Amino acid sequence: MKIAVAGTGYVGLSIAILLSQHNEVMAYDILPQKVEMLNNKISPIKDKEIEEYLKTKQLNLHATVDYQGAFKDADYVIISTPTNYDDKTNYFDTSSVEDIIQKVISINPHAIMVVKSTIPVGFIEEMKKKYQIDNIFFSPEFLREGKALYDNLYPSRIIVGEKSERASLFANLLKEGALKEDIPIKFMNSKEAEAVKLFANTYLALRVSYFNELDTYAELKGLDTADIIDGVCLDPRIGKYYNNPSFGYGGYCLPKDTKQLLANYRNIPENLIEAIVNSNETRKKHIASMILKRMPKTVGIYRLTMKTNSDNFRSSAIQDIIKLLKDAKINVIIYEPTLSTDFFDDCPIISNLDKFKEESDIIVANRIDDYLEDVQYKIYTRDIYIRD
Ligand SMILES: NC(=O)c1ccc[n+]([C@@H]2O[C@H](COP(=O)([O-])OP(=O)(O)OC[C@H]3O[C@@H](n4cnc5c(N)ncnc54)[C@H](O)[C@@H]3O)[C@@H](O)[C@H]2O)c1
């Protein structure tokens, strides 16, 4: 098969690598520096399996900024460009996905387009009507950042938004590249597949919010959060996972996907979905107020990232907490070794960890690690289980 992948971020790159084990893959991106790195077998993102596969596996993978060349002979074009949430329209900005659809229609109208980007419910149907096409369906992506390729090698499930031969063929391409043996595969219409993605991420946000609100209660009432969560989660229906309190859910997907699902609920009765969106804001305000209660002169932010061993801090909760602290006229300094700039959001980046520890009255850490062992008395965290 000849496959083109448009957009080489977490989603596009992991799919491109997965499929290039057995197919000819052209990965198209608008960023020439990314394309050059990929053609030199260097991963633009921190991801153990992506780095390893690029270096050690025989992959039939070429990256390019030339979309004509990438799309013209492709059997499938996989679309994995961004869909940021637009606060003005209260909807995803799907223009980059539409940009690829228009290009494919003009260059190779018979190629089958598979949208992997997260899209609003009803988007595929809208595109079919708007462009009078039928060769497009949605297949949701469930990977975690930092484990992008791993999650495609060992997928929890494969979901394809069409019940057809070309949909089966696509599922088989994903299966063929994976290492897991028994992968649940489900075929459904794209509308349901679009809903699966938004409802899955909103459930994850709900779960994070639930344990965070439990922790807010325990913190303000002087109760032991760990005892409560341990007792609650021993019920096998609840489970002892994905339950570590944090400063709020963040990352590229959960904040925007919950808002998009809420937008899709227009004129449909609900209470929970908007509560999940609002709960995260309440949690961040609570965390900021607990820091302010200690009346620090200088607050040190230990890492902007959300997870340990990550280089990614897109929409991390700590960034909103920094804004709240700055609104309260608190001096904020940041330790973030993945940044080489002097400032982030007007706050000085202190690259020397000892200096950072010395200058901070409080060290605020969403996740703690061994490097903070000697300054435990200064730390403010809600990391109970020392894991993500
Ligand atoms: N990151 C995740 O964990 C994850 C998981 C599941 C689904 N998704 C969804 O997948 C989509 C992509 O997410 P991501 O994290 O891979 O994004 P990303 O920001 O990491 O990568 C997107 C890539 O697309 C490129 N791009 C932007 N506009 C383009 C255009 N017009 N033509 C070609 N390339 C273009 C960018 O240069 C970038 O390399 C989003 O809709 C996201 O919601 C992401």
Side-chain angles (χ1 to χ4, degrees):
M1 282 278 168
K2 289 193 172 192
I3 297 166
V5 176
T8 61
Y10 290 86
V11 174
L13 184 53
S14 61
I15 296 281
I17 292 176
L18 184 90
L19 297 180
S20 65
Q21 297 174 93
H22 302 105
N23 305 278
E24 189 180 333
V25 177
M26 291 283 267
Y28 160 63
D29 204 286
I30 46 174
L31 298 177
Q33 61 275 35
K34 238 183 185 181
V35 165
E36 199 186 320
M37 283 177 90
L38 288 178
N39 285 334
N40 288 321
K41 301 189 181 306
I42 300 167
S43 173
I45 50 179
K46 192 169 168 185
D47 185 297
K48 185 168 156 274
E49 283 74 21
I50 290 183
E51 288 159 34
E52 184 190 313
Y53 270 60
L54 280 174
K55 284 246 153 67
T56 63
K57 300 277 177 188
Q58 278 278 346
L59 304 175
N60 194 345
L61 172 66
H62 296 279
T64 180
V65 285
D66 166 24
Y67 61 85
Q68 299 258 4
F71 298 163
K72 76 175 182 326
D73 297 322
D75 300 300
Y76 283 86
V77 177
I78 297 169
I79 306 177
S80 44
T81 57
T83 48
N84 298 339
Y85 190 77
D86 183 337
D87 284 316
K88 288 195 193 85
T89 58
N90 277 331
Y91 234 67
F92 280 163
D93 172 1
T94 48
S95 55
S96 73
V97 176
E98 236 179 297
D99 169 48
I100 303 296
I101 294 174
Q102 288 165 357
K103 287 185 164 88
V104 173
I105 291 172
S106 71
I107 297 163
N108 182 359
H110 297 297
I112 298 153
M113 290 178 265
V114 184
V115 178
K116 276 262 158 200
S117 304
T118 305
I119 47 180
V121 180
F123 180 78
I124 293 290
E125 196 175 88
E126 192 191 318
M127 292 300 104
K128 283 184 172 178
K129 276 197 192 122
K130 183 169 175 183
Y131 296 106
Q132 292 294 301
I133 53 171
D134 186 49
N135 52 327
I136 184 165
F137 56 80
F138 175 62
S139 171
E141 177 58 58
F142 301 105
L143 62 79
R144 292 164 294 173
E145 291 180 0
K147 287 195 183 294
L149 180 55
Y150 180 90
D151 285 343
N152 270 303
L153 293 169
Y154 299 93
S156 53
R157 68 282 210 199
I158 292 172
I159 291 184
V160 186
E162 197 172 84
K163 298 170 187 173
S164 63
E165 214 179 303
R166 62 194 191 185
S168 300
L169 226 147
F170 179 71
N172 281 334
L173 289 174
L174 296 180
K175 201 174 144 203
E176 182 187 37
L179 294 173
K180 189 174 163 181
E181 290 289 328
D182 289 317
I183 306 168
I185 302 181
K186 276 195 85 71
F187 298 94
M188 57 186 75
N189 294 327
S190 276
K191 260 193 185 172
E192 280 76 8
E194 290 159 345
V196 166
K197 178 63 201 169
L198 294 182
F199 276 103
N201 269 359
T202 303
Y203 175 78
L204 295 176
L206 162 80
R207 193 159 163 122
V208 174
S209 301
Y210 187 83
F211 288 105
N212 282 346
E213 286 204 5
L214 182 160
D215 178 57
T216 300
Y217 179 85
E219 191 176 22
L220 290 178
K221 291 278 188 188
L223 307 182
D224 186 324
T225 301
D227 278 349
I228 306 172
I229 295 183
D230 286 348
V232 167
C233 291
L234 278 167
D235 185 328
R237 290 170 301 179
I238 299 173
K240 292 168 74 175
Y241 51 87
Y242 212 58
N243 59 2
N244 193 17
S246 67
F247 293 162
Y249 62 78
Y252 181 41
C253 294
L254 298 198
K256 76 180 178 79
D257 293 0
T258 45
K259 287 183 189 162
Q260 178 57 53
L261 184 60
L262 181 58
N264 274 117
Y265 260 86
R266 210 162 73 93
N267 299 330
I268 296 177
E270 63 78 32
N271 293 110
L272 201 49
I273 308 298
E274 65 187 287
I276 296 166
V277 173
N278 294 337
S279 169
N280 212 35
E281 299 314 307
T282 304
R283 174 68 172 172
K284 288 183 267 194
K285 283 183 192 147
H286 164 71
I287 296 293
S289 78
M290 293 307 287
I291 298 166
L292 291 172
K293 256 190 200 167
R294 299 176 178 212
M295 299 202 288
K297 278 206 185 91
T298 299
V299 172
I301 304 293
Y302 181 74
R303 308 298 314 257
L304 297 169
T305 49
M306 292 190 311
K307 299 178 184 173
T308 27
N309 289 326
S310 165
D311 62 344
N312 164 8
F313 48 83
R314 288 196 284 188
S315 304
S316 59
I318 193 70
Q319 296 182 52
D320 286 334
I321 292 164
I322 292 173
K323 284 192 184 82
L324 293 167
L325 295 175
K326 280 172 58 193
D327 288 347
K329 308 273 179 264
I330 299 289
N331 188 26
V332 176
I333 59 175
I334 298 170
Y335 176 75
E336 180 44 71
T338 64
L339 277 182
S340 49
T341 49
D342 292 336
F343 290 90
F344 177 83
D345 212 2
D346 292 337
C347 304
I349 304 279
I350 312 291
S351 52
N352 180 313
L353 185 55
D354 290 330
K355 188 168 175 246
F356 168 82
K357 288 176 179 172
E358 204 179 295
E359 288 185 10
S360 305
D361 297 320
I362 294 184
I363 294 174
V364 172
N366 185 49
R367 292 292 174 246
I368 48 178
D369 59 36
D370 293 345
Y371 295 114
L372 295 176
E373 194 89 62
D374 56 330
V375 282
Q376 285 196 14
Y377 61 99
K378 281 190 179 186
I379 296 175
Y380 178 77
T381 185
R382 302 310 297 161
D383 183 1
I384 309 281
Y385 297 107
I386 326 290
R387 60 165 158 77
D388 291 328

